Amino acid sequence: MTMFSLAKAVGDILAPEFVVISVFPAGQAPHELTLSLELEDEISVTARIGCDANNNPAALQWLQRKYAREVASIAYLENAIPSVPVPYVIQVDQNTANPVQGPYVMVEDPLGEQLQNAVADFDMAQKEFMTVNIAESLAGIYRHMLSSPASSSLKFGAIAGTDARGSPIIGPISRSWLHSSSASRPEGPFSDIKQFLSNELTQLARVAQDDEAISSNPQAAEAIRSLLRRLDALLPAITPLNDPAMLRPALSYSDLRDQSLFILEDGALGGMAGLEATVLPACLAAAWPAYLRRDGIYSKNYRNPKEPWRPTLPDNEVAHLRDVFIRAAAKVEPSFPVALQKGERLRQMLEFMNASNWEGLRRWESDVRRELSGGRP
């Protein structure tokens, strides 16, 4: 569809309840187009539309699951934790028999500006207030399931809906359909952390298998197999298996990039974009927002040079605001800072794996192994 016909189709979907003033392209991923809509009454909306999905059944299935999980997450958090500023879903359709000829989700934009833009004119007091707000929201999400005895029996996976009692229904985790071998990947939900981590390593092996630059080079393929064996051997040392509190199911919001956090003029958290909640082991559910990160994939030692990254704040401010974040989160849930510390290396490893940052992962694994062995290679 041309942009003109797509804009008309979006207007047909939203009419008569909403009147579309303008439509602009805002981004594109494989088989998915993102549009920025301006409606009457100054309502801003982001629409994500599955394009050409009819020609790719795997892509269509993945997009349908993705949109369903996002809508289910928003509905669950809105009812379970009203203090979390979740976006309003304008329209959603998982079918292709509609005016845009593909699955779509349209969500009202959060209030405020994206974090990296909002902090440009903030003084330190505003940055501290913003950090406290974010910490309280993330720790509140994390704490929600820990306070419920019934949640201890939940499996690890994505929020797929709610049952008649309002309890979450846990569904599979599906990160990507782009790899041909991923069709046979078990997606969960997973009953324990070992099963979850084993699946992550299996998926990484399949990603390597589908990378022609690796699979066509015997030396490169063997290097990846060797790296996977070392990562598997490293897992027991970086996973808090002997601490049951760190293995309990906890609610998590994983998209903590600067562009996904929206901040109001006074520094308060206005909302979160791309909301998708998952149930993870507590040591993985607690996480730092990206603007306070200098570790793992955000470390200058491991960053992918093809993906340049500019820190939002200077290092001296980050060090101070991390302390602010820890204190604020601990007031909401004392175990949150503990989970941050005990799951740090495991979260870092999973981030490298999900980004397929092979060189960064190799150097990170070597450094961690050296640290754990007291400096020995």
Side-chain angles (χ1 to χ4, degrees):
M1 299 179 72
T2 65
M3 181 54 63
F4 177 80
S5 59
L6 193 58
K8 183 179 183 305
V10 168
D12 291 341
I13 289 172
L14 293 174
E17 184 177 359
F18 299 100
V19 176
V20 178
I21 304 300
S22 63
V23 178
F24 297 99
Q28 188 160 7
H31 296 279
E32 185 181 49
L33 178 66
T34 301
L35 301 177
S36 178
L37 315 179
E38 289 297 327
L39 312 184
E40 272 191 347
D41 299 325
E42 299 184 347
I43 299 173
S44 299
V45 172
T46 294
R48 282 177 293 124
I49 301 168
C51 301
D52 247 357
N54 282 325
N55 300 323
N56 189 323
L60 175 60
Q61 183 184 58
W62 184 77
L63 288 166
Q64 289 172 328
R65 290 182 178 180
K66 177 184 177 184
Y67 297 159
R69 288 196 307 270
E70 290 180 5
V71 173
S73 294
I74 290 172
Y76 178 75
L77 288 173
E78 187 175 32
N79 291 321
I81 318 175
S83 61
V84 175
V86 298
Y88 172 66
V89 178
I90 302 286
Q91 286 274 5
V92 62
D93 189 345
Q94 297 181 47
N95 301 306
T96 58
N98 55 50
V100 296
Q101 301 174 20
Y104 63 81
V105 60
M106 301 182 191
V107 179
E108 187 172 2
D109 291 342
L111 298 176
E113 284 190 280
Q114 291 176 322
L115 186 147
Q116 74 270 22
N117 299 323
V119 299
D121 298 319
F122 278 6
D123 59 27
M124 182 52 68
Q126 289 171 302
K127 292 173 184 175
E128 290 174 345
F129 183 63
M130 174 188 76
T131 299
V132 168
N133 266 254
I134 294 172
E136 290 175 344
S137 291
L138 296 181
I141 292 173
Y142 170 90
R143 180 187 183 186
H144 171 67
M145 286 183 174
L146 297 181
S147 61
S148 170
S151 66
S152 60
S153 61
L154 288 175
K155 293 184 177 183
F156 304 130
I159 300 287
T162 55
D163 61 21
R165 296 173 298 175
S167 299
I169 298 171
I170 309 302
I173 298 174
S174 178
R175 289 192 176 86
S176 178
W177 48 266
L178 295 174
H179 310 293
S180 60
S181 60
S182 66
S184 60
R185 177 198 177 198
E187 298 176 326
F190 305 102
S191 58
D192 59 58
I193 192 170
K194 290 183 178 179
Q195 188 183 59
F196 173 79
L197 294 175
S198 174
N199 180 73
E200 293 296 304
L201 284 173
T202 300
Q203 172 64 0
L204 187 63
R206 288 173 173 158
V207 171
Q209 176 185 326
D210 291 333
D211 188 329
E212 187 175 351
I214 295 173
S215 60
S216 63
N217 184 330
Q219 186 176 2
E222 177 53 37
I224 294 299
R225 286 193 291 269
S226 176
L227 174 60
L228 289 171
R229 289 192 293 268
R230 295 197 305 273
L231 292 173
D232 191 36
L234 181 63
L235 280 176
I238 63 175
T239 307
L241 295 172
N242 296 323
D243 189 343
M246 293 293 101
L247 306 180
R248 281 198 60 181
L251 194 59
S252 173
Y253 171 62
S254 56
D255 188 357
L256 300 179
R257 297 171 299 167
D258 294 355
Q259 60 265 42
S260 296
L261 300 177
F262 284 72
I263 308 300
L264 303 178
E265 289 184 4
D266 63 355
L269 180 63
M272 302 175 179
L275 199 65
E276 185 174 335
T278 54
V279 177
L280 296 173
C283 61
L284 296 177
W288 294 96
Y291 76 99
L292 298 180
R293 297 281 303 276
R294 294 293 186 272
D295 62 290
I297 61 174
Y298 293 95
S299 167
K300 62 182 179 181
N301 298 324
Y302 310 121
R303 284 201 298 271
N304 186 344
K306 296 180 181 179
E307 299 177 1
W309 175 71
R310 293 183 61 186
T312 299
L313 298 174
D315 290 352
N316 63 316
E317 291 188 3
V318 168
H320 168 67
L321 292 174
R322 281 171 71 95
D323 289 337
V324 172
F325 182 91
I326 285 288
R327 291 196 299 270
K331 290 180 180 179
V332 176
E333 174 49 55
S335 70
F336 188 93
V338 179
L340 278 179
Q341 185 270 323
K342 290 194 173 185
E344 183 173 47
R345 285 186 173 131
L346 188 57
R347 290 193 306 273
Q348 290 172 358
M349 189 182 93
L350 293 175
E351 284 179 325
F352 279 117
M353 290 164 60
N354 288 326
S356 300
N357 181 349
W358 302 109
E359 180 57 25
L361 180 57
R362 183 193 63 77
R363 284 185 273 125
W364 175 88
E365 182 274 334
S366 177
D367 288 348
V368 170
R369 188 158 38 86
R370 188 179 299 111
E371 291 172 14
L372 293 174
S373 63
R376 298 188 303 275

